[in-house]
Amino acid sequence: MSNFDAEELDEAVTLAGPGRIACNQVCYHLGQRNIEHEVIPRCEAQSVAVVAYSPFGSGQFPSPRSRGGKVLSEIANARGATARQIALSFLTRRESVFAIPKASRPEHVDDNAGGALRLNDDEIARIDRAFPLGPSAELPIV
Ligand SMILES: NC(=O)c1ccc[n+]([C@@H]2O[C@H](COP(=O)([O-])OP(=O)(O)OC[C@H]3O[C@@H](n4cnc5c(N)ncnc54)[C@H](OP(=O)(O)O)[C@@H]3O)[C@@H](O)[C@H]2O)c1
């Protein structure tokens, strides 16, 4: 299923029965972290995986010259990774979350498949400050 908010998720699980819903596909990227407020915790409580679509912001990935982009580049350089690998690692830092980046160029596929790193608390805090969660709002639908 896709774009279910927390209440809709509860309703769907009630209708379908426990263990019948595999995942909830929702918009999630560094500039749009709204699902962290309610959707991710509810999915975890209902044992439903979270599938993050548009994890690079649909072409709006932070430029290396931006404040946030610099933070990603610094962490990437220190870890021998790319900025996008760091972004994917941040987004999938909880076991319940998967990401489905879209890539049509083979080198982009290789980059994205390069492996999610386990970020440490300091790295997570730096990314969190550079791309703040923001207040809870209605679920964005792209
Ligand atoms: N369930 C839903 O309601 C819903 C809604 C929207 C999207 N989706 C799904 O979510 C997935 C991703 O969506 P999206 O297209 O919005 O955006 P996205 O994954 O955030 O970004 C895709 C863009 O990033 C580029 N890119 C990917 N990897 C890169 C890399 N390593 N280096 C540089 N550029 C890179 C791609 O370029 P290239 O293509 O040139 O490689 C493409 O321009 C798709 O599978 C889509 O079907 C689902």
Side-chain angles (χ1 to χ4, degrees):
M1 59 193 214
S2 187
N3 297 315
F4 276 44
D5 67 19
E7 278 179 23
E8 290 166 335
L9 179 76
D10 283 345
E11 200 181 328
V13 172
T14 301
L15 290 172
R20 302 285 300 166
I21 295 175
C23 71
N24 185 17
Q25 198 174 123
V26 283
C27 179
Y28 184 40
H29 54 83
L30 292 174
Q32 179 48 265
R33 296 175 53 196
N34 190 47
I35 63 165
E36 291 182 30
H37 288 290
E38 279 192 273
V39 174
I40 293 180
R42 198 69 61 89
C43 283
E44 289 174 346
Q46 297 281 18
S47 301
V48 171
V50 178
V51 175
Y53 72 71
S54 303
F56 296 144
S58 306
Q60 303 294 312
F61 193 74
S63 144
R65 287 184 297 280
S66 66
R67 184 176 153 261
K70 278 185 187 146
V71 170
L72 293 177
S73 297
E74 283 166 15
I75 296 172
N77 290 340
R79 296 290 295 260
T82 66
R84 284 176 195 258
Q85 288 171 350
I86 297 300
L88 291 176
S89 302
F90 179 82
L91 297 173
T92 59
R93 67 199 183 281
R94 292 164 82 135
E95 269 187 22
S96 58
V97 183
F98 301 78
I100 49 166
K102 182 228 132 196
S104 49
R105 291 167 64 171
E107 61 270 31
H108 290 167
V109 176
D110 286 346
D111 182 14
N112 301 340
L117 304 170
R118 185 172 290 278
L119 300 176
N120 64 37
D121 290 346
D122 176 61
E123 291 164 333
I124 289 172
R126 289 173 66 197
I127 297 170
D128 180 57
R129 281 195 299 274
F131 301 96
L133 172 57
S136 181
E138 214 165 281
L139 197 62
I141 297 176
V142 179

